[in-house]
Amino acid sequence: MSNLTVPAIRGRKVRNGDSPLVMVTAYDAPGARFASDAGADLILVGDSLAMVVLGYEDTLQVTVDDMAHHVAAVARARPGAHVTGDLPWMSYHVSEAETVQNAARLVRAGAQSVKLEGGRKRLPMIEKIIAAEIPVMGHIGLTPQSLHAMGGFKVQGRRYEAARQLVQAAKAIEHAGCFALVVEGVPAPVAEQVTEAIDIPTIGIGAGPRCDGQVLVYHDLLGLQDRLAPKFVRRYADLGAASVDAIARFAADVRSGAFPADAESYHLTPDEAAAFGIFGPERSGG
Ligand code: KIV
């Protein structure tokens, strides 16, 4: 379990001299181990799972079952980072009881907190989850679960009134008790205003450099993603190309007979070979 507690995260503000929070998504045990070994502060088991792992066009297709399955895989790696589970679309929209049960499922699967998308209209659900002792991370701006309502994956808060509403929503979300806030897909000066306006940390994605932390999707960061990456993505590796190259070399070796080599094969001892009545000299051991 993470050494970084929710109260410690809640207090992290760059303006107070704290270092920015580093969050990365992960969806399975190896990814969680890599993120943890690399020193990430938080791992988000994001509903981006739908697009980067499960092959859907948007995030609307994943269910609480899907999310719990992947939260559990991440938690089994026992990462040193704080694990946040993303509540999928329709898991916190219907009733308060269902919302709390769904958040609890992610906690029972191994999450230490949950994240949900949306502004003021989500306040009652945020309060209910927090009342059940489950820490909540907010998420405003470009909220992918609102894809159809927004008319596409579009930068939010470009106009004065929309920007003002984002700042108001951030304040309300802080007041409701969230311990951190993801700010996605908004102009950098607007994210800066949001960050200034609240005492909980903002974690930006496509929100410029003045947030209290940054998050990237694992597959974007490592170049494992085949879709066109948004402008805010910085690729730190090209593991997609490295994977194709490695598998192509394996295929070539299989086809040429170069794989497996003798050292990659199991052998019979002389006695075992004799019992089989086999076939010339067998090396012993291995
Ligand atoms: O699902 C996700 O990966 C997210 C991040 C992009 C913040 O919500």
Side-chain angles (χ1 to χ4, degrees):
M1 195 187 290
S2 166
N3 296 329
L4 196 56
T5 62
V6 163
I9 297 169
R10 187 193 296 279
R12 287 275 285 266
K13 288 298 277 184
V14 169
R15 68 169 176 244
N16 297 340
D18 295 326
S19 61
L21 288 163
V22 176
M23 183 158 87
V24 64
T25 69
Y27 315 93
D28 57 21
R33 265 193 296 273
F34 297 147
S36 178
D37 291 352
D41 297 308
L42 298 102
I43 291 174
L44 172 66
V45 187
D47 64 352
S48 48
L49 167 74
M51 297 170 77
V52 298
V53 175
L54 302 181
Y56 292 115
E57 288 292 310
D58 56 50
T59 61
L60 305 180
Q61 309 302 328
V62 284
T63 63
V64 176
D65 284 348
D66 295 326
M67 294 307 303
H69 183 73
H70 286 267
V71 166
V74 163
R76 278 193 289 270
R78 301 194 162 276
H82 175 97
V83 176
T84 299
D86 218 359
L87 284 168
W89 180 60
M90 288 308 285
S91 70
Y92 54 97
H93 304 70
V94 178
S95 75
E96 290 172 353
E98 220 178 90
T99 297
V100 175
Q101 295 286 2
N102 288 331
R105 280 203 57 202
L106 298 193
V107 171
R108 290 211 167 115
Q112 292 155 282
S113 62
V114 298
K115 176 173 83 59
L116 59 79
E117 297 182 5
R120 305 185 73 93
K121 58 187 163 194
R122 302 290 166 233
L123 297 178
M125 297 306 190
I126 290 173
E127 282 164 6
K128 285 290 167 197
I129 300 170
I130 291 172
E133 313 300 345
I134 300 172
V136 179
M137 180 184 290
H139 183 163
I140 59 169
L142 194 174
T143 46
Q145 292 173 15
S146 321
L147 168 69
H148 298 307
M150 291 182 310
F153 293 114
K154 292 185 175 155
V155 173
Q156 302 292 300
R158 285 190 180 280
R159 305 276 171 167
Y160 173 80
E161 183 49 28
R164 198 186 64 79
Q165 280 179 23
L166 281 176
V167 172
Q168 293 310 317
K171 286 182 179 171
I173 284 167
E174 174 183 31
H175 189 253
C178 283
F179 73 99
L181 178 63
V182 169
V183 181
E184 176 168 359
V186 304
V190 176
E192 186 173 359
Q193 290 286 311
V194 169
T195 301
E196 290 281 305
I198 58 178
D199 291 328
I200 58 172
T202 56
I203 304 178
I205 175 162
R210 298 266 180 255
C211 296
D212 298 301
Q214 298 289 333
V215 53
L216 279 179
V217 167
Y218 185 91
H219 291 63
D220 288 338
L221 188 164
L222 294 176
L224 282 163
Q225 178 61 283
D226 44 14
R227 77 192 158 112
L228 204 63
K231 140 181 191 159
F232 58 78
V233 168
R234 187 180 296 178
R235 273 194 176 176
Y236 286 87
D238 194 355
L239 298 193
S243 304
V244 172
D245 177 61
I247 296 167
R249 286 190 289 115
F250 166 62
D253 284 351
V254 170
R255 289 179 184 130
S256 72
F259 179 86
D262 191 56
E264 291 155 337
S265 306
Y266 296 104
H267 298 91
L268 294 174
T269 63
D271 285 352
E272 287 166 342
F276 259 138
I278 304 191
F279 338 98
E282 253 290 342
R283 227 184 44 192
S284 62

